[in-house]
């Protein structure tokens, strides 16, 4: 019952009485309270309660004000970090460090981040960039595709990187050195594009700058090596169309594999819409089937000789006569043509048709002969492990 009576009393009285009525035991020259509390501490607790809780003059205003000021300062700092992060897309650790170094001046911190980012971009320029995107821009009768590389797929998915890639493709489409040339495929590489002016209109990269400076700026923001690797422009003859297809496309105009193909006709009054539809299917076929040559006549002598030697070696290993070996080689060469020559391949949309049969049928529909002028296929990162100077032209196939 005594316990319950004590429970009804105020806490300070209960604790004070417990400490005041504690019995003490002496052992030698040392004294303990019966619950193990030193007498000096008992006095301190008594004083604490009498000062902080018994005194009507005590208030928490100064402590509360100090806590409120600290909370407000922390909230303002978090807001500055958020703002600078949104402005620059820099890692949050770098954002906070720049703000601290600049005494939380957001404008100075933004300048500092750009300086540090450009230094980092310069240091990372030697890093191999095998990821990235292909960007495509197109108008009537012409299409341009560029390859913009980075180090990781994470950066390739970033909206700033994608915006830059599309801007570069649009710039390549305006290339003056190919605008007046005849139909065909023409390289528009970094050596031509990097000095041109870009007018960017993005919340995080805007204004007029050169292509090279824009690439450096994005590399600084991303913290990775960003590199414009190559570009091509395809023009169609008149009348004719350029058709395109992008595979693994995160948004219109971007992808990891591109197929471009031009169709040419003789009659200016033929249905170009029908040509465009069939052309898009053929561009998709180019991506899937990976042809290397347009016709058998355009197969290079080196490629044909190498394939013939491989096939002959395989046939001779069977132990058959020389005549039988020759027949085996010729039969397997026909199979080789079906694998690498576009006109000899089976159409992926309808494998009962060869491409040359498809064009014959198209002639009947549009009322004019149709032929493939040019085609090429590009894939992100292909050939990067080899010398790039030797690989830039390997994936372009043209009619003679």
């Amino acid at each position: 019952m005594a316990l319950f009576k004590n429970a009804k009393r105020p806490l300070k009285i209960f604790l004070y009485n417990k400490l005041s009525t504690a019995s003490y035991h002496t052992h030698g020259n040392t004294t303990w309270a019966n619950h193990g509390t030193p007498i000096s501490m008992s006095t301190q607790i008594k004083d604490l309660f009498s000062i902080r809780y018994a005194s009507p003059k005590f208030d928490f205003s100064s402590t509360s004000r100090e806590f409120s000021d600290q909370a407000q300062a922390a909230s303002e700092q978090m807001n500055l970090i958020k703002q600078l992060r949104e402005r620059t897309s820099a890692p949050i650790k770098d954002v906070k460090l720049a703000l601290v170094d600049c005494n939380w001046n957001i404008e100075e911190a933004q300048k500092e981040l750009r300086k540090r980012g450009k230094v980092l971009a310069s240091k990372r320029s030697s890093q191999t960039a095998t990821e990235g995107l292909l960007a495509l821009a197109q108008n009537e009768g012409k299409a341009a595709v560029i390859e913009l590389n980075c180090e990781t797929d994470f950066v390739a998915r970033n909206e700033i990187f994608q915006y830059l890639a599309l801007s570069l493709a649009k710039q390549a489409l305006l290339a003056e050195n190919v605008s007046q040339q005849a139909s065909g495929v023409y390289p528009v590489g970094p050596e031509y594009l990097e000095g041109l002016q870009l007018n960017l209109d993005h919340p995080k990269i805007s204004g007029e700058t050169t292509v090279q400076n824009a690439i450096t700026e994005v590399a600084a923001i991303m913290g990775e090596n960003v590199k414009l690797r190559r570009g091509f422009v395809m023009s169609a003859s008149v009348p004719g169309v350029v058709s395109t297809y992008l595979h693994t496309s995160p948004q219109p105009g971007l992808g990891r594999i591109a197929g471009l193909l031009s169709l040419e006709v003789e009659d200016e009054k033929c249905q170009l819409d029908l040509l465009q539809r069939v052309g898009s299917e053929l561009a998709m076929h180019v991506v899937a089937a990976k042809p290397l040559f347009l016709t058998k006549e355009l197969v290079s002598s080196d490629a044909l000789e190498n394939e013939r030697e491989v096939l002959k070696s395989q046939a001779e290993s069977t132990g058959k006569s020389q005549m039988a070996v020759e027949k085996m080689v010729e039969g397997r060469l026909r199979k080789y043509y079906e694998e690498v020559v576009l006109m000899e391949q089976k159409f992926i949309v309808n494998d009962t048709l060869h491409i040359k049969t498809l064009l014959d049928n198209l002639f009947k529909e549009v009322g004019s002969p149709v032929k493939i002028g040019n085609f090429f296929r590009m894939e992100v990162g292909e050939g990067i492990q080899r010398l790039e100077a030797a690989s830039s032209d390997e994936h372009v196939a043209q009619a003679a």
Side-chain angles (χ1 to χ4, degrees), residues 27 36 39 55 90 97 103 114 212 214 242 269 334 339 356:
H27 182 271
I39 294 174
S55 173
L97 182 60
N103 294 320
R114 292 181 68 182
Q212 181 58 58
V242 172
K269 298 179 181 180
R334 286 194 294 271
E339 291 175 354
K356 57 185 175 182

Side-chain angles (χ1 to χ4, degrees), residues 98 147 157 164-165 204 212 216 219 247 318 347 391:
E147 179 179 358
R157 296 196 301 269
L164 176 63
K204 296 175 183 176
Q212 181 58 58
T216 302
H247 188 65
T318 62
F347 189 31
S391 67

